[in-house]
Amino acid sequence: MSQQLILNRRDLDFMMYEWLDAEALTSHPRFSDHSRETFDAVMDLSAQIANDLFANHNRKNDLNEPTFDGEKVQVIPEVKTAIDAFNEAGLVAAAQDYEYGGMQLPALVEKACMAWFKAANVGSSAYPFLTMANANLLLAHGSKAQIETWVKPMFEGRFFGTMCLSEPQAGSSLADIRTRAEPQGDGTYRLHGNKMWISAGDHELSENIVHLVLAKVPGSPPGVKGISLFIVPRWLVNEDGTRGERNDVALAGLNHKMGYRGTTNTLLNFGEGKFQPGGQGGAVGYCVGEVNKGLACMFHMMNEARVGVGMGAVVLGYTGYLHAVEYAKERFQGRRLTDKDPQSPPVRLIDHTDVKRMLLAQKSYVEGGLALVLYCARLLDEKRGAGVCDEDDADVLMDLLTPIVKSWPSQWCLAANDLAIQVHGGYGYTRDYQVEQFYRDNRLNPIHEGTHGIQGLDLLGRRVRQHGGAGMQALQRRLQMTTAKAAQRSDTAEFAASLDAIWFRLQDVTQLLLRNPNAEESLSDATLYLEAFGHVVVAWIWLDQYLACPENSDDAFYLGKRQACQYFFRRELSQVDAWLDLLGDGDRTCLDMSEGWF
């Protein structure tokens, strides 16, 4: 795969510098050592490593899944080569403080760099991605000793990290987990239970694997209020930092998914007695934060992972789109509708209007999605005080947008992958072309880190109400800053009026739903609400991008941006009214469906 088919560097540069003004971040003391030159240098390095060492085995990863011989998990050797290069480049700690060996890069730059690896090989990139999120949780909630013991080796690339939430019988319902953590006399705990769907849960790619495990201490309150969080390493660590005994964490088996096949996905048994640390069974664990406050800690990693899932969904859609454009430009098939001569030469696929429609839809989804994720990365920098708005404003807006940034790309950039297959025609679902793999990989993202439906419940049931509605107010201020500018221009006034109108309608429907005391009724179509909300947010993001393009420029890049924005407003945003009709009318079609009618 050539670098040009992984991501569009011109588009990344536009979003980072012309739209989000990454250079302005260097005025913040944390980023003062940086400049556009340093940002570009790490971007160039990321693109090169992604192209040379990650993309080169993406297909091989898919065709040669990890295997378990009863003792060890084996992955193809290219995975370790790639991840070692990632670690040696210092990218695991790229956004961290200098004291942790980091570069103190802005989140905006770090996420843009990570986009290259996810687009090049989503399977192999999952290992460092999970490690980074694990380490960030422990930085926020772990003790100094825990940071020293577990986080620093992760930043050095020696230890990898996971998150262990789901259980076979409970799935996404964390209130029903059964893994128990029994306190010991020395301040440690012994864990017993099973965890399912654990990505990167077992391998030989690192010295150690640091599992973050949700469990319940005996006597704790029922439900989510009784959940605690524990560090449960694969190998215990001695006082001098060397590797100690094997902990009682055993691989029960590998799950075989339709996509992400390069990432080991596991069922792990904790405390089954296969290993005997300290001469007894039970997996040794160390509590993170307070007992019974574990879910609040875990949300730190979950929310970061949700942004990461959104990015992964975006770039899988994006690389599929780039492949579809290339194919449409090279493939000759059919003739123009006005050409009735069967002996005339065929035209390229891209000359057919319906193919242009499919490509334009993909462009609107993937460029809109990438802009959304990078905007949220910019909010993370603003939360540090590196922005024009106050930190509290960025904080509440990030809270509000988290379900959107996870779920909107997971739905619509998957739709882009579907269209990329369609552009390829019959070749699209063969293994001769990569677009079928991109679709399979991306199909996992609507389930990863909370399903589409769970994100809708989170958005409508919790986040729009959070902080007294401050997130909605912050979004409105920023959205109306954009529409006010757009209303002053003849080429965007139509878009500004449409966006203002649909935003206020969305607010009215939101208030109507929130006033309904019957949660089952008000939340019955939370998924539809999520989709409507996401389309409004992405329309705003598109309009803001349009305004960042130089006026009257005839450069093809900017013309393409404007055309994609127009497509989104006229073909996509126009659907939101129908969705809001259903929500506002309290449609009960799904709610009233009886089990026996299926």
Side-chain angles (χ1 to χ4, degrees), residues 253-315:
L254 296 177
N255 299 306
H256 299 283
K257 295 185 175 183
M258 67 183 285
Y260 268 77
R261 291 178 174 175
T263 309
T264 58
N265 191 274
T266 62
L267 169 60
L268 296 177
N269 291 340
F270 293 86
E272 69 172 16
K274 181 176 181 179
F275 302 98
Q276 301 278 317
Q280 67 180 93
V284 177
Y286 311 89
C287 190
V288 179
E290 297 179 40
V291 171
N292 299 331
K293 300 292 180 65
L295 191 56
C297 296
M298 185 55 94
F299 264 111
H300 190 286
M301 185 172 182
M302 290 165 66
N303 285 334
E304 181 172 343
R306 285 169 178 171
V307 176
V309 168
M311 176 64 87
V314 164
V315 297

Side-chain angles (χ1 to χ4, degrees), residues 61-346:
N61 236 4
D62 184 63
L63 298 176
N64 298 272
E65 294 183 72
T67 58
F68 179 46
D69 61 10
E71 293 295 329
K72 293 182 178 181
V73 170
Q74 302 293 338
V75 300
I76 60 173
E78 289 88 345
V79 177
K80 182 167 175 55
T81 300
I83 294 174
D84 284 350
F86 185 97
N87 292 335
E88 288 166 10
L91 294 171
V92 176
Q96 303 302 330
D97 294 347
Y98 292 141
E99 67 175 294
Y100 297 122
M103 304 180 199
Q104 292 190 187
L105 285 174
L108 173 59
V109 179
E110 180 207 31
K111 301 303 182 193
C113 290
M114 200 65 197
W116 285 102
F117 297 99
K118 288 179 174 288
N121 191 321
V122 74
S124 292
S125 66
Y127 298 97
F129 162 66
L130 288 164
T131 301
M132 293 156 75
N134 180 307
N136 284 332
L137 182 154
L138 291 176
L139 277 179
H141 299 286
S143 66
K144 288 184 178 179
Q146 288 171 344
I147 291 171
E148 186 70 28
T149 303
W150 310 111
V151 175
K152 287 188 176 180
M154 283 195 272
F155 286 152
E156 293 167 2
R158 296 190 296 111
F159 292 6
F160 285 6
T162 75
M163 56 194 302
C164 301
L165 291 77
S166 298
E167 297 182 4
Q169 82 291 341
S172 299
S173 182
L174 296 180
D176 298 318
I177 65 171
R178 297 174 185 165
T179 300
R180 70 184 191 278
E182 298 176 349
Q184 307 296 298
D186 60 357
T188 65
Y189 292 76
R190 291 279 178 155
L191 277 75
H192 302 266
N194 316 102
K195 293 294 181 177
M196 177 61 106
W197 312 120
I198 310 308
S199 295
D202 199 289
H203 53 74
E204 302 299 322
L205 297 169
S206 60
E207 294 177 25
N208 206 348
I209 303 174
V210 182
H211 301 293
L212 288 177
V213 184
L214 293 182
K216 293 186 175 182
V217 176
S220 293
V224 296
K225 293 182 179 179
I227 294 176
S228 301
L229 178 63
F230 300 89
I231 298 168
V232 185
R234 187 188 193 203
W235 294 88
L236 301 180
V237 172
N238 298 318
E239 289 187 8
D240 62 359
T242 59
R243 196 167 79 175
E245 289 184 272
R246 177 67 189 263
N247 205 0
D248 195 6
V249 182
L251 176 65
L254 296 177
N255 299 306
H256 299 283
K257 295 185 175 183
M258 67 183 285
Y260 268 77
R261 291 178 174 175
T263 309
T264 58
N265 191 274
T266 62
L267 169 60
L268 296 177
N269 291 340
F270 293 86
E272 69 172 16
K274 181 176 181 179
F275 302 98
Q276 301 278 317
Q280 67 180 93
V284 177
Y286 311 89
C287 190
V288 179
E290 297 179 40
V291 171
N292 299 331
K293 300 292 180 65
L295 191 56
C297 296
M298 185 55 94
F299 264 111
H300 190 286
M301 185 172 182
M302 290 165 66
N303 285 334
E304 181 172 343
R306 285 169 178 171
V307 176
V309 168
M311 176 64 87
V314 164
V315 297
L316 283 168
Y318 207 128
T319 191
Y321 160 67
L322 295 175
H323 280 75
V325 170
E326 181 185 62
Y327 186 80
K329 288 179 177 180
E330 294 177 350
R331 170 75 172 179
F332 286 82
Q333 185 174 319
R335 292 162 185 81
R336 294 183 185 278
L337 296 177
T338 55
D339 185 355
K340 305 301 182 183
D341 183 1
Q343 294 186 327
S344 62

